[in-house]
Amino acid sequence: MSLHGSYDPNNLFAKILRGEIPCVKVMEDNVALAFMDIFPQSRGHTLVVPKNVTARNFLELPREKIGPYLERVQRVALAVEEALKPDGLVITQFNGAPAGQTVFHLHFHIIPRYEGEKLAGHGHSNKADTAALEALAAQIAAAL
Ligand code: AMP
């Protein structure tokens, strides 16, 4: 899917936001939902998804929603840092399939980096154990 097109209300993250598909939740308020990536590129890979929007990508996010949403992204990133003590953090997002986007509801990735540990490629990770993700989510949530 290119940068341009219409929002599909049945995309994976829309279903997660509606509770139709489970997720391992880190935090939720009226602006955003944060949950663990089930194919983590590193330990603690977390996604932050804006609520009540039909933005497929960052370019489509209404301007007045940018501040509140990015505030949540930073808040979750700070909690990931405090909980997991990584040596670095990649905070990124992809716009359009040619850029690497696979789910077409805007989301930011928070990907901890640990010195000496290789990063799994985007879209090339194994499915994580749910109990392990739940333990990480609880650690991060406790640091919020
Ligand atoms: P992107 O490729 O940037 O659109 O990111 C989509 C992300 O969603 C990838 O990092 C996937 O590993 C992740 N993902 C796919 N299915 C699920 C799921 N059911 N729950 C949580 N994360 C998922």
Side-chain angles (χ1 to χ4, degrees):
M1 195 181 287
S2 83
L3 269 183
H4 307 290
S6 54
Y7 180 85
D8 173 9
N10 287 317
N11 73 75
L12 177 64
F13 292 167
K15 289 182 177 174
I16 286 178
L17 284 166
R18 291 196 296 267
E20 295 166 10
I21 289 178
C23 70
V24 179
K25 195 181 288 188
V26 171
M27 82 78 152
E28 181 170 20
D29 64 10
N30 58 332
V31 171
L33 170 69
F35 53 93
M36 305 310 296
D37 196 307
I38 59 168
F39 300 102
Q41 288 182 252
S42 71
R43 190 171 62 88
H45 183 166
T46 305
L47 301 170
V48 187
V49 173
K51 289 171 66 171
N52 306 312
V53 300
T54 54
R56 293 178 315 135
N57 55 55
F58 193 51
L59 306 184
E60 293 180 353
L61 188 64
R63 194 158 299 167
E64 70 277 8
K65 300 209 177 224
I66 293 173
Y69 172 52
L70 289 185
E71 194 269 335
R72 271 57 174 193
V73 173
Q74 190 202 48
R75 194 190 298 174
V76 175
L78 285 164
V80 169
E81 197 280 326
E82 184 175 325
L84 306 182
K85 303 280 187 279
D87 301 298
L89 279 175
V90 175
I91 299 175
T92 192
Q93 56 85 226
F94 304 95
N95 301 281
Q101 186 174 10
T102 58
V103 178
F104 295 90
H105 180 112
L106 171 62
H107 51 282
F108 270 68
H109 297 257
I110 297 169
I111 307 172
R113 296 298 314 264
Y114 305 93
E115 209 81 68
E117 286 184 27
K118 277 188 78 175
L119 190 67
H122 180 65
H124 296 285
S125 321
N126 295 322
K127 190 168 184 294
D129 174 64
T130 303
L133 291 184
E134 285 170 350
L136 286 164
Q139 269 182 277
I140 299 166
L144 279 166

